[in-house]
Structure formats: C-alpha cells, structure tokens
Amino acid sequence: MATRGLTIVVIGVALAAAGFSAFYAMRGRTPACAGGGKYMSTLNDCKAWGIAADVCAQAVEKARAVAARAAPKTETMFQCEVRFSECFENPAGGFTPRPSFCLNPGGDPTEVRYLEYESDRRNRKTTKEVRID
C-alpha cells in the first residue's frame, strides 16, 4: 500500500515538472501582443504579415518617433551599436535604438520596446528588452 502512495507522489511530481518545463520553454518565444496585434520591428516584418505598405510605413515611423523621444541617444552609430542591438539615425541628432512594437488592428504601434545589451556575471553579452511606451 505504501508503494502505491509513493508511486502516485512520484507521478504527480513528474507531471508538475513537465508542466513547468513546457511553460518555461513556451514563454520565451515571440512576445504576445495585447488585443490581437502583430509583433514587428521593420517595414519588411510588417509586410510579411500581409499589411498594406502605407500602413506599415506609418507604423514604423510612429514607433521610431516614440523611440526618438524616449529611448537613449548616442553620438555615433558605433556607440549605439555597441550598446543596443540595432540603431537608426535620430532626426534630432545622434543615434537611437531601433524599436520593435505591436501593430494593433487600428494601425497604431503599441508596446514599443528596444533591445539593450548587458553583461552577465561571466561577462557574456546578453540582451534585455526595455519597454518605452
């Protein structure tokens, strides 16, 4: 009788571990967009979702305007690319990290963010996502 109880406990722990592992593996994929939006960062990403080119161009420009106002700026492209994953020339001067965003069905970018490099304890370069809206 004791072995049966132990078997049930072992099976329960194994199922819990499998569920946690599946959750952890799935959560690191493409960020979910609230409200049924599509996640993107470039004009080509947007067009790949089948959205009209003019809507895509406006969305990318709006997201860049948000980043130009709120994200950090550097003086040179080299400084920007050392600190951030990808950059663009800021109309106000300097360089700013290129934003990624969710395009909602209304055509406006939401959940604007950029990737910034950081080092872990072993001085390996990793990226962290910084939300700016």
Side-chain angles (χ1 to χ4, degrees):
M1 191 68 169
T3 11
R4 184 173 184 205
L6 182 61
T7 303
I8 292 173
V9 169
V10 169
I11 290 172
V13 168
L15 288 173
F20 178 76
S21 296
F23 168 76
Y24 188 76
M26 297 304 269
R27 80 175 176 89
R29 299 205 178 168
T30 302
C33 293
K38 307 290 186 201
Y39 187 73
M40 62 193 70
S41 63
T42 65
L43 190 60
N44 288 336
D45 291 345
C46 184
K47 289 178 187 177
W49 284 109
I51 301 169
D54 59 329
V55 173
C56 290
Q58 289 175 354
V60 168
E61 286 307 312
K62 286 179 184 177
R64 284 185 173 198
V66 169
R69 281 192 319 271
K73 296 175 184 74
T74 59
E75 290 182 27
T76 66
M77 180 65 99
F78 178 76
Q79 290 171 331
C80 189
E81 289 176 341
V82 166
R83 187 171 169 197
F84 307 105
S85 63
E86 294 183 51
C87 301
F88 70 96
E89 190 168 357
N90 191 325
F95 296 87
T96 303
R98 187 182 77 193
S100 54
F101 57 93
C102 290
L103 183 60
N104 65 23
D108 289 323
T110 59
E111 302 177 38
V112 181
R113 51 182 80 95
Y114 62 88
L115 294 175
E116 182 172 14
Y117 292 124
E118 62 183 5
S119 295
D120 64 6
R121 287 183 280 183
R122 293 184 177 177
N123 204 25
R124 294 177 295 192
K125 198 179 251 192
T126 59
T127 55
K128 80 173 178 182
E129 193 173 69
V130 179
R131 190 160 170 185
I132 55 175
D133 69 338

